Amino acid sequence: MELKRVVVTGLGALTPIGNNIEEYWDGLVNGKSGSAPITYFDTEKFKTKFACEIKGFNFNDYFDRKEIRRLDKFAQYALVSSDEAIKDSGINLDTVNKHRVGVIWGAGIGGLETFQEEVKNFANGDGTPRFNPFFIPKMIADIAPGNISIKHGFMGPNYTTVSACASSANAMIDALNYIRLGHSDVIVTGGSEAAVTQAGMGGFNAMHALSTRNEEPAKASRPFDATRDGFVLGEGSGSLILEEYEHAKARGAKIYAEVLGGGMSSDAYHMTAPHPDGTGVVAVMENCLQNAGLKPEDVDAINTHGTSTPLGDVAELKAITNVFGAHAKSININSTKSMTGHLLGAAGAIEAIASILAMQHSIVPPTINHEVVDDKIDPNLNLTLNKAQKREVNVAMSNTFGFGGHNACVLFKKLSE
């Protein structure tokens, strides 16, 4: 069976550095930090008092009051970014065969704020189980794609992938394969997360996963810097329209890139820590290259998982050197988490979008906040430090890894006939 080609025809983003694709790209190329003191709750007793929140987006202009009561933030974010991507794709919703349009979404946690507030209300009561009737449907992780399909009438495959921070990358790989195998013509894919809550911040602080650089939050996310001390929690959503190539061509669609392949692997090592030698990361990149039918020397840019943790950054760069050998020093390597923070289940989606836009504009966004060289990192690697770099990018790789040892990798290529 010959696999069908898959392309990206629409993009949407709601991020801490921009509330649509245009703003997001502008923030990326200009090295904008989305990290600032938390505004959602009182952080006086929290170890970390900052995060990468969504800023300046009025949800009351987008949803009515009933919808806001029925939707957790992570589902609101999903609807906003997917609407932008669907509109960007130019798909005619009146004529497309909606039985062949699906929604495959990623979320690592789902409705954490809803869960937190409902449990707090119960705990503060007299023991009577008074819960909001929307508690469960607001909280469950699969409700985001459910609401996208309900809004637009999409009747193809519809579900959520959950693999912690690799969730939306796994969603994209599933979407790729559904279309490759001929089961769908179009898939709305991506991911959303809204974990900047008391439970989210407290939980990640308890793991010692978050930076505590409270005196300068804008500089706290510093991948590859010797003084990095943990990741910065972010929130938001990214959406991509994946479409079968002939279907897209027949309707004259704008095509951003071809999705050439996806790879997956497991560290099989530790609940939260990466294997120090990056063996699982080596495997996922090799799997992705093989799936895409590419050689290591074909890759021009890699948007790393690069969370700004002491162990993770070193392990990933070791793995890149292992897989790409001498060619590694010719690759533009970056971490856009230095600007957006870590969007958990949405990270793979917004970083894939960053990779696609880098190809579109021939500019690789920077890894900001780098000040101190880490002697554990190969100095010959081009980490695109502090300033965007112009270069032709024909093939871009996006890496995303999750707690539990989940590794996912996606490869994009400029379209060739």
Side-chain angles (χ1 to χ4, degrees):
M1 176 181 176
E2 185 177 351
L3 296 179
K4 296 181 182 294
R5 294 173 68 185
V6 180
V7 294
V8 179
T9 58
L11 299 174
L14 179 61
T15 79
I17 61 170
N19 295 338
N20 54 50
I21 285 294
E22 184 179 356
E23 291 179 3
Y24 176 45
W25 177 245
D26 184 71
L28 286 173
V29 294
N30 288 296
K32 179 181 179 181
S33 173
S35 182
I38 289 170
T39 63
Y40 294 157
F41 57 89
D42 183 358
T43 61
E44 181 184 357
K45 295 182 179 180
F46 284 74
K47 293 177 184 176
T48 298
K49 305 176 187 301
F50 59 91
C52 289
E53 297 176 338
I54 299 296
K55 303 169 187 68
F57 190 92
N58 190 345
F59 289 90
N60 291 311
D61 291 341
Y62 199 90
F63 301 102
D64 64 34
R65 283 186 294 178
K66 285 185 179 179
E67 287 176 313
I68 286 178
R69 285 199 298 268
R70 291 196 296 263
L71 297 168
D72 186 88
K73 278 183 181 177
F74 95 101
Q76 293 177 35
Y77 296 168
L79 284 163
V80 171
S81 73
S82 61
D83 276 4
E84 183 186 8
I86 292 165
K87 182 179 179 181
D88 183 46
S89 74
I91 290 173
N92 187 328
L93 297 178
D94 294 324
T95 59
V96 71
N97 181 353
K98 293 185 178 180
H99 288 275
R100 293 187 60 80
V101 181
V103 188
I104 302 178
W105 204 251
I109 299 176
L112 183 60
E113 183 176 53
T114 295
F115 184 82
Q116 170 190 288
E117 294 308 308
E118 290 294 325
V119 171
K120 282 169 63 178
N121 290 340
F122 175 70
N124 291 332
D126 62 3
T128 304
R130 295 188 181 93
F131 289 92
N132 188 316
F134 294 113
F135 172 28
I136 299 302
K138 282 178 70 174
M139 176 196 72
I140 52 178
D142 69 296
I143 207 65
N147 276 301
I148 293 168
S149 67
I150 290 166
K151 180 172 183 178
H152 300 288
F154 299 148
M155 299 178 71
N158 186 283
Y159 61 91
T160 290
T161 60
V162 180
S163 51
C165 307
S167 297
S168 55
N170 279 127
M172 286 185 285
I173 294 169
D174 280 8
L176 166 66
N177 288 328
Y178 265 91
I179 298 171
R180 269 179 166 177
L181 294 170
H183 301 313
S184 298
D185 297 326
V186 180
I187 301 277
V188 182
T189 189
S192 58
E193 208 77 90
V196 183
T197 65
Q198 292 163 313
M201 295 299 296
F204 283 115
N205 266 152
M207 294 173 60
H208 305 287
L210 298 180
S211 170
T212 56
R213 193 181 288 265
N214 293 305
E215 67 281 2
E216 46 181 359
K219 295 184 177 181
S221 186
R222 44 182 50 224
F224 318 131
D225 185 278
T227 64
R228 64 192 182 278
D229 68 329
F231 71 80
V232 177
L233 188 58
E235 62 170 0
S237 182
S239 182
L240 303 89
I241 307 301
L242 268 55
E243 188 167 353
E244 194 271 320
Y245 172 60
E246 295 297 338
H247 186 274
K249 192 168 71 167
R251 66 180 186 87
K254 168 181 80 268
I255 294 175
Y256 284 99
E258 185 169 4
V259 191
L260 280 188
M264 294 176 280
S265 76
S266 175
D267 281 354
Y269 175 72
H270 188 272
M271 282 196 299
T272 57
H275 193 288
D277 293 330
T279 53
V281 180
V282 168
V284 77
M285 289 188 288
E286 289 179 341
N287 291 344
C288 191
L289 287 165
Q290 182 180 19
N291 186 254
L294 294 179
K295 302 183 292 295
E297 54 268 31
D298 294 326
V299 176
D300 301 307
I302 301 175
N303 194 329
T304 62
H305 186 57
T307 57
S308 186
T309 57
L311 295 177
D313 290 5
V314 171
E316 184 173 10
L317 294 179
K318 278 184 181 178
I320 287 171
T321 299
N322 187 319
V323 171
F324 292 92
H327 179 63
K329 66 179 182 296
S330 302
I331 298 173
N332 264 90
I333 298 166
N334 70 339
S335 172
T336 50
K337 286 187 180 75
S338 59
M339 295 171 277
T340 65
H342 191 354
L343 271 65
L344 307 179
I350 67 161
E351 289 159 21
I353 291 168
S355 295
I356 291 166
L357 293 175
M359 287 195 294
Q360 281 276 302
H361 298 283
S362 298
I363 301 173
V364 179
T367 305
I368 68 168
N369 296 327
H370 191 278
E371 296 172 348
V372 183
V373 172
D374 185 343
D375 60 13
K376 297 185 183 69
I377 291 173
D378 184 349
N380 294 311
L381 297 176
N382 179 4
L383 304 178
T384 321
L385 298 176
N386 298 319
K387 188 177 180 180
Q389 294 179 14
K390 293 183 178 181
R391 74 165 289 171
E392 188 75 15
V393 180
N394 291 306
V395 176
M397 174 180 279
S398 183
N399 285 342
T400 320
F401 317 136
F403 286 164
H406 314 296
N407 304 313
C409 177
V410 187
L411 269 166
F412 302 94
K413 186 178 186 294
K414 279 187 179 176
L415 184 68
S416 56
E417 296 299 329

